[in-house]
Amino acid sequence: MKISIRKGAAEDLPVVLGVLDSAVVWLNGKGITAQWGTESFSGRPAAVEQVRRTMSEGDPWIAEIDGVAAGTMTLTPHPGRHVPPVDEPEVYVRLLATDTRFHGHGVGAALLAHAEEETRRQGVSLLRVDCFAGSEGRLVAYYESRGFTRTETFAVDGWEGQVLERRV
């Protein structure tokens, strides 16, 4: 399976929401409900608005396999509101998710490699991401396996997060 990555746009909001909704189903199927909850993104107006706003603040990217959306991420020049910015230019990975149908096919790795390329292309040397720190730290370990190192932690209403960074 060949993964292609294309730049997204505002009209890709339903595509991004579809991938995120699929990820919620996958997580819940694994018994992980604390990461993104149990309700779909598209079924929660506040979540839809948050995704739309994040996409408008940066560059959404869509990974496709055989023309089907397999994953997504949005790269912004700053983190979300719960993570303090740094005192240098950065590219921040947000809304990274893989569609359930394509887990285990390297979609996340391809999107992160693309994020590194985009960071370099912009002349920036710092790539950061944050993730859910629960579930025995499996997501944190995934990012570490992709070359990221832990920096600070944060919490939002009991939701534990981990910020990671990578120099590119």
Side-chain angles (χ1 to χ4, degrees):
M1 280 187 200
K2 181 175 179 342
I3 300 169
S4 60
I5 299 174
R6 68 170 175 85
K7 192 166 186 179
E11 57 268 17
D12 285 308
L13 178 61
V15 173
V16 171
L17 288 169
V19 171
L20 293 170
D21 288 350
S22 172
V24 169
V25 170
W26 185 84
L27 288 166
N28 288 187
K30 298 275 187 194
I32 302 168
T33 58
Q35 183 172 335
W36 280 352
T38 56
E39 291 182 59
S40 68
F41 276 73
S42 61
R44 295 179 286 136
V48 171
E49 176 55 24
Q50 183 260 324
V51 171
R52 186 204 60 73
R53 187 173 52 252
T54 299
M55 289 174 64
S56 74
E57 292 172 2
D59 294 320
W61 295 93
I62 312 292
E64 296 178 331
I65 296 175
D66 296 329
V68 177
T72 187
M73 72 177 169
T74 296
L75 300 178
T76 61
H78 55 79
R81 67 177 187 225
H82 301 294
V83 174
V86 290
D87 61 357
E88 67 177 287
E90 68 178 314
V91 172
Y92 211 94
V93 177
R94 298 171 66 189
L95 303 175
L96 176 64
T98 299
D99 186 284
T100 299
R101 298 169 290 176
F102 299 100
H103 271 271
H105 289 95
V107 174
L111 284 165
L112 288 172
H114 187 77
E116 289 177 38
E117 291 169 18
E118 278 298 303
T119 302
R120 278 191 213 97
R121 187 188 64 74
Q122 294 177 28
V124 175
S125 63
L126 180 62
L127 178 63
R128 291 202 307 159
V129 64
D130 64 71
C131 68
F132 180 57
S135 296
E136 293 82 51
R138 287 189 295 256
L139 195 50
V140 174
Y142 170 77
Y143 284 113
E144 288 176 326
S145 77
R146 309 276 7 129
F148 286 83
T149 56
R150 298 177 198 208
T151 58
E152 68 264 24
T153 59
F154 65 100
V156 180
D157 299 327
W159 188 94
E160 299 294 321
Q162 175 70 56
V163 180
L164 300 101
E165 69 179 24
R166 181 171 182 169
R167 292 283 169 185
V168 298

